[in-house]
């Protein structure tokens, strides 16, 4: 019998550290693992927690250029020699000692995850240290040095997968993964993000549908700032679900950047942990519907280090373990005490944001009709109009 969920984690992953003032604090990973431990997720039946070695240059070069890997190694050994032509030593991606090994370890964790799922050793796999979707073949970008997602997907293609679907719900456009597979009809990339008019990287328009040999396999939903739970859930369900079903992938890979949250300091959405949990659950169910449960779930962005990231990715891990946690569950006192000791403030009390006064999580299905006066609906319709006919789907009804 395969393991229910293979989870990538050990403390070495906190070595991916751009420095004490950088938004992508490694503490978010440590706090997630501690919360998984405190709530018994890592001890659930069928959960296997594994570390990862540093990925080989050969593996990295399945996606990244030789000279770029060499440049990362130079900057890793001597950060003062970082070459900004490769996106290294910048404000977003400052060089640090050991950067190559730390980044390559994340890649190895994601490749281990896809291998376990593809070869049947695990039904699901989670690498919340991964999801570094901005890295390009020839440069670092947006806090991402190596693109673990793309290397993982390429591994699947090189080992027999015919079709891989990738769904990215990070608030930022998943530009690196899209660029790498832009003209590959075997990979469907779907990104639901805040419009590039308001947010980095300034790309990801509904008319960006893929290269000449792969039209319709790049999908972008560019949502307006201020989107709340109902709008975000409507967009994800109205685009990602029908397209993945039509594509019929062998494996579903998902990226769960939680910077869509209302408290995230780097973006402008108003989404709750409850909605993020609901999307993780929906994508998990989708994997069972379309590809026999072969699901690899990754982390990504998320810069509210204490109140958001640990809860969202603990929910993700628990869902993969088939041991979901209710949003009403209280967070253990020892975890909150650890937070107060190191951060000088208490952590959240519950695993969700919504209270009884907020009412249940609710969103309006696309089946209820298109509202041209609604900004979210216009964004969704722009994407459906650009892409759905290329998959034989009806713009209004599928």
């Amino acid at each position: 019998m395969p393991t229910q969920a293979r989870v990538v984690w050990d403390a070495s992953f906190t070595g991916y550290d751009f420095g004490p003032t950088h938004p992508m604090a490694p503490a978010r990973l440590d706090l997630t693992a501690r919360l998984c431990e405190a709530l018994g997720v890592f001890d659930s039946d069928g959960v296997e927690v594994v570390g990862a070695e540093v990925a080989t240059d050969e593996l990295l070069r399945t996606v990244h250029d030789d000279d770029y890997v060499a440049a990362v190694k130079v900057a890793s050994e001597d950060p003062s020699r970082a070459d900004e032509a490769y996106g290294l030593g910048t404000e977003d991606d400052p060089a640090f000692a050991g950067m190559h090994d730390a980044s390559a370890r994340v890649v190895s964790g994601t490749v281990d995850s896809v291998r376990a799922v593809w070869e049947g050793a695990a039904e699901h796999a989670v690498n919340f240290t991964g999801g570094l979707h901005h890295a390009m073949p020839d440069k670092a970008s947006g806090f991402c040095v190596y693109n673990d997602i793309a290397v993982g997907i390429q591994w699947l293609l090189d080992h027999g997968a015919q079709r891989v679907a990738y769904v990215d719900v990070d608030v930022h456009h998943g530009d690196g993964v899209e660029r790498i597979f832009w003209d590959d009809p075997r990979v469907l990339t779907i990104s639901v993000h805040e419009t590039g008019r308001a947010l980095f990287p300034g790309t990801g328009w509904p008319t960006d549908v893929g290269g000449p040999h792969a039209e319709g396999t790049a999908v972008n939903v560019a949502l307006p700032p201020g989107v709340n739970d109902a709008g975000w859930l409507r967009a994800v369900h109205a685009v990602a679900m029908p397209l993945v079903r039509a594509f019929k992938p062998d494996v579903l890979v998902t990226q769960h950047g939680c910077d869509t949250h209302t408290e995230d300091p780097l973006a402008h959405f108003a989404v709750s942990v409850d909605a993020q949990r609901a999307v993780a659950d929906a994508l998990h169910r989708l994997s069972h519907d379309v590809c026999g449960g072969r699901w690899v779930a990754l982390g990504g962005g998320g810069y509210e280090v204490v109140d958001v990231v640990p809860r969202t990715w603990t929910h993700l891990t628990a869902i993969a373990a088939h041991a979901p946690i209710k949003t009403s569950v209280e967070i253990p006192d020892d975890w909150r005490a650890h937070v107060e000791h190191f951060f000088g403030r208490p952590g959240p009390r519950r695993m969700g944001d919504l209270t009884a006064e907020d009412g249940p999580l609710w969103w309006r299905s696309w089946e209820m009709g298109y509202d041209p006066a609604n900004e979210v609906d216009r964004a969704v319709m722009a994407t459906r109009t650009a892409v759905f006919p290329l998959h034989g789907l009806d713009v209004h009804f599928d």
Side-chain angles (χ1 to χ4, degrees):
M1 289 290 292
T3 298
Q4 178 57 55
R6 188 175 176 93
V7 181
V8 175
W9 171 251
D10 67 42
S12 66
F13 287 97
T14 60
Y16 192 87
D17 185 357
F18 290 114
T21 63
H22 196 279
M24 198 160 178
R28 68 199 192 121
L29 305 177
D30 177 71
L31 290 176
T32 298
R34 287 177 182 273
L35 188 55
C36 284
E37 290 169 347
L39 288 168
V41 176
F42 285 170
D43 295 325
S44 298
D45 288 344
V47 172
E48 181 183 16
V49 181
V50 299
E53 300 297 323
V54 174
T56 64
D57 290 1
E58 180 183 12
L59 184 58
L60 296 173
R61 287 169 179 156
T62 61
V63 163
H64 292 288
D65 295 352
D66 291 359
D67 59 347
Y68 174 60
V69 174
V72 174
K73 286 186 169 184
V74 168
S76 183
E77 293 171 2
D78 182 357
S80 69
R81 297 176 62 198
D83 188 343
E84 290 193 12
Y86 293 102
L88 303 169
T90 63
E91 183 177 356
D92 276 1
D93 296 279
F96 60 92
M99 179 171 64
H100 168 78
D101 282 5
S103 305
R105 192 182 305 278
V106 175
V107 172
S108 184
T110 294
V111 171
D112 175 87
S113 297
V114 300
R115 179 189 291 114
V117 168
W118 182 244
E119 293 180 349
E123 183 173 48
H124 307 321
V126 178
N127 181 14
F128 55 74
T129 77
L132 305 180
H133 60 170
H134 294 306
M136 297 293 176
D138 58 351
K139 69 183 300 182
S141 177
F143 313 163
C144 306
V145 177
Y146 293 134
N147 197 314
D148 65 291
I149 308 165
V151 177
I153 292 173
Q154 188 62 52
W155 187 95
L156 287 168
L157 298 175
D158 291 343
H159 288 80
Q162 299 299 306
R163 301 166 81 82
V164 179
Y166 169 68
V167 179
D168 185 322
V169 297
D170 193 291
V171 77
H172 302 90
H173 175 224
D175 57 338
V177 183
E178 177 186 274
R179 175 84 61 84
I180 289 161
F181 297 108
W182 178 254
D183 204 28
D184 192 330
R186 299 172 297 173
V187 183
L188 174 70
T189 64
I190 300 174
S191 179
V192 182
H193 51 266
E194 184 174 351
T195 173
R197 294 188 178 89
L199 197 65
F200 174 90
T203 54
W205 310 108
T207 51
D208 296 336
V209 299
H213 302 292
E215 287 190 348
T217 60
V219 181
N220 290 287
V221 187
L223 296 171
V227 166
N228 61 13
D229 287 353
W232 189 63
L233 289 165
R234 179 166 166 81
V236 172
H237 281 270
V239 174
M241 307 310 177
L243 284 173
V244 171
R245 291 180 190 281
F247 190 70
K248 299 178 181 177
D250 299 318
V251 183
L252 177 63
V253 179
T254 56
Q255 196 264 26
H256 297 263
C258 49
D259 39 11
T260 51
H261 195 273
T262 187
E263 293 181 14
D264 194 273
L266 300 188
H268 316 98
F269 278 7
V271 171
S272 68
V273 166
D274 306 62
Q276 292 171 341
R277 177 192 183 279
V279 162
D281 181 62
L283 291 171
H284 165 238
R285 292 174 185 274
L286 181 65
S287 76
H288 283 286
D289 290 345
V290 301
C291 54
R294 288 186 291 273
W295 179 41
V296 178
L298 307 171
Y303 309 102
E304 207 318 303
V305 172
V306 172
D307 290 342
V308 178
V309 178
R311 289 189 293 165
T312 299
W313 291 349
T314 296
H315 278 305
L316 175 67
T317 307
I319 288 166
H322 285 194
I325 298 167
K326 293 182 178 180
T327 55
S328 59
V329 166
E330 292 192 0
I331 291 174
D333 290 339
D334 58 348
W335 187 88
R336 299 184 74 243
H338 174 82
V339 166
E340 182 137 27
H341 177 74
F342 283 95
F343 292 88
R345 63 183 177 91
R349 291 187 176 277
R350 298 168 52 254
M351 285 297 290
D353 293 326
L354 303 182
T355 66
E357 293 179 357
D358 296 315
L361 189 64
W362 182 87
W363 55 279
R364 193 165 58 92
S365 167
W366 193 257
E367 294 173 354
M368 297 177 70
Y370 165 57
D371 179 3
N374 183 281
E375 201 171 4
V376 170
D377 274 24
R378 292 199 300 272
V380 169
M381 181 55 89
T383 302
R384 288 173 65 104
T385 299
V387 177
F388 272 39
L390 299 172
H391 292 266
L393 298 174
D394 187 277
V395 168
H396 290 280
F397 300 112
D398 283 320

